[in-house]
Amino acid sequence: MSEHAEDHVDCSETMYRIMEYLDGEMTEADHERIAEHLRGCQPCLDEHDLERMVKALVKRSCGREQAPAALRTTIMQSFSTYSVDGGVVQEFTEIRYDG
């Protein structure tokens, strides 16, 4: 039996979801769970800080460039987002690749 609470986030989940966390693309509850893990795990916090610095560097270096309109349209058309409402909201994004 695990000694951690049911809502405990381990290092594996934290690293898997770190970009969602940095981009603000998770629920408030999930955000808090990851933040709690980061407060108590120096290796994960170090990885978080590194990813945050890389994102800032990329933004600073490439922030003024935009993809050509045709490429942006192609990319956007490859995504489908679904939401099912039946008391519980379930969302997922499908990415199609024809290459």
Side-chain angles (χ1 to χ4, degrees):
M1 190 95 196
S2 173
E3 64 185 72
H4 297 292
E6 194 173 301
D7 63 347
H8 172 76
V9 177
D10 63 15
C11 296
S12 175
E13 181 180 354
T14 299
M15 290 300 95
Y16 180 75
R17 300 193 68 193
I18 198 69
M19 297 312 283
E20 285 178 86
Y21 178 84
L22 289 170
D23 292 341
E25 296 176 343
M26 56 179 37
T27 66
E28 189 173 323
D30 286 345
H31 185 275
E32 181 52 39
R33 289 174 59 228
I34 299 292
E36 182 178 340
H37 179 83
L38 292 172
R39 286 191 289 271
C41 181
Q42 190 62 48
C44 286
L45 182 59
D46 291 344
E47 186 66 25
H48 163 272
D49 292 347
L50 176 64
E51 293 292 342
R52 188 177 62 199
M53 286 188 299
V54 168
K55 283 179 64 69
L57 177 63
V58 169
K59 183 177 182 178
R60 190 171 58 241
S61 299
C62 304
R64 295 184 185 116
E65 297 178 26
Q66 286 198 5
L71 175 60
R72 292 176 57 152
T73 299
T74 300
I75 292 170
M76 294 308 291
Q77 288 174 342
S78 70
F79 292 97
S80 298
T81 301
Y82 301 89
S83 178
V84 178
D85 186 26
V88 176
V89 177
Q90 298 176 355
E91 296 183 21
F92 65 93
T93 300
E94 173 183 72
I95 302 172
R96 296 177 300 282
Y97 176 68
D98 298 327

